[in-house]
Amino acid sequence: MAGLFKPARHGGASLTLDPVEASILRSLTVQMLELLGPGDEPAEDDDPLAHLFAEGPSKPPEDPALARLFPDAYGEGEDAEEYSAEFRRFTENDLRTRKRDDALALIRSIDSADVDRKARPVLRLGAEDCKHWLGALNDLRLTLGTRLELTEDPEEAESLYRLPDDDPRKPLMMAYLWLGGLQETLLEVLTR
């Protein structure tokens, strides 16, 4: 896998991907969009203020990956569940929309990329696109990390880094590590 972010001439970042990398990244992002579910687009005659103040779900998602993407806002405690439910009702819809927007921006960037002499997609991202990419890469890594059941235990994480080739988790782990490299190099470019 070749693609890592580099500074672009006029600001932003550039990324040259192998066609297989582009396909993998696009596929993972589409799968995450399916996990997030469709957005609620208001009808033309809907009141914009009503949409703005629409209430979302009050219970945490049952899917562990979605629960990681939309965690409770309050930890443990006597009223934590009630406060988290109230917070979720008024924030989760907007958060889902932002996560969908980030993922769609990533897909659009790949789909509209120029192609170099070796038929590799070459992406040139402006500042706004970079923000979307950072959000989408983070969400992809959180989702994969949850599916891999990664914890903060260093010994457990180390064992996942050395999975045998026939382990069904190996491709997810390789994608997780690659996405981490993309995220790290994009942050480096943006903080220079």
Side-chain angles (χ1 to χ4, degrees), residues 44-146:
E44 284 186 37
D45 59 340
D46 278 356
D47 177 9
L49 283 176
H51 180 69
L52 183 63
F53 292 106
E55 292 184 14
S58 60
K59 294 184 181 182
E62 290 182 22
D63 183 293
L66 283 175
R68 183 69 176 103
L69 291 173
F70 305 105
D72 281 336
Y74 297 91
E76 310 265 327
E78 187 177 319
D79 298 321
E81 189 175 323
E82 179 184 341
Y83 293 154
S84 289
E86 188 73 8
F87 185 79
R88 181 179 303 280
R89 269 187 27 208
F90 294 108
T91 60
E92 188 171 315
N93 286 344
D94 288 339
L95 189 54
R96 275 184 191 265
T97 298
R98 186 183 58 82
K99 290 179 180 304
R100 274 189 219 93
D101 290 347
D102 290 345
L104 288 170
L106 188 149
I107 290 170
R108 286 184 194 113
S109 298
I110 292 172
D111 290 350
S112 65
D114 295 328
V115 179
D116 69 6
R117 293 184 307 246
K118 297 179 183 178
R120 298 178 305 183
V122 179
L123 293 83
R124 290 174 184 81
L125 307 176
E128 193 62 31
D129 288 326
C130 289
K131 289 179 191 176
H132 287 301
W133 270 73
L134 280 175
L137 289 171
N138 187 62
D139 291 342
L140 285 167
R141 291 190 76 233
L142 286 172
T143 301
L144 289 177
T146 303

Side-chain angles (χ1 to χ4, degrees), residues 6 9-10 16 22 27-28 34 58 63 70 72-73 75-77 82 84 112 123 131 145 151 156 158 164 176 190:
K6 296 178 182 170
R9 276 189 218 163
H10 304 291
T16 302
S27 176
L28 288 171
E34 291 171 355
S58 60
D63 183 293
F70 305 105
D72 281 336
E76 310 265 327
E82 179 184 341
S84 289
S112 65
L123 293 83
K131 289 179 191 176
T151 66
E156 188 177 329
E158 193 65 33
Y176 177 83
L190 296 175

Side-chain angles (χ1 to χ4, degrees), residues 14 21 33-34 38-39 62 64 73 97 99 102 104-105 110 116 120 146 152 163 165 168-169 183 186-188:
S14 67
E21 290 174 325
L33 278 168
E34 291 171 355
E62 290 182 22
T97 298
K99 290 179 180 304
D102 290 345
L104 288 170
I110 292 172
D116 69 6
R120 298 178 305 183
T146 303
E152 293 183 23
L163 290 172
D165 289 342
R169 298 172 297 170
Q183 189 176 27
L186 181 54
L187 280 169
E188 288 172 3

Side-chain angles (χ1 to χ4, degrees), residues 1 17-27 119-121 178:
M1 305 233 171
L17 293 170
D18 179 272
V20 173
E21 290 174 325
S23 177
I24 291 169
L25 187 53
R26 190 179 195 294
S27 176
R120 298 178 305 183
W178 174 58

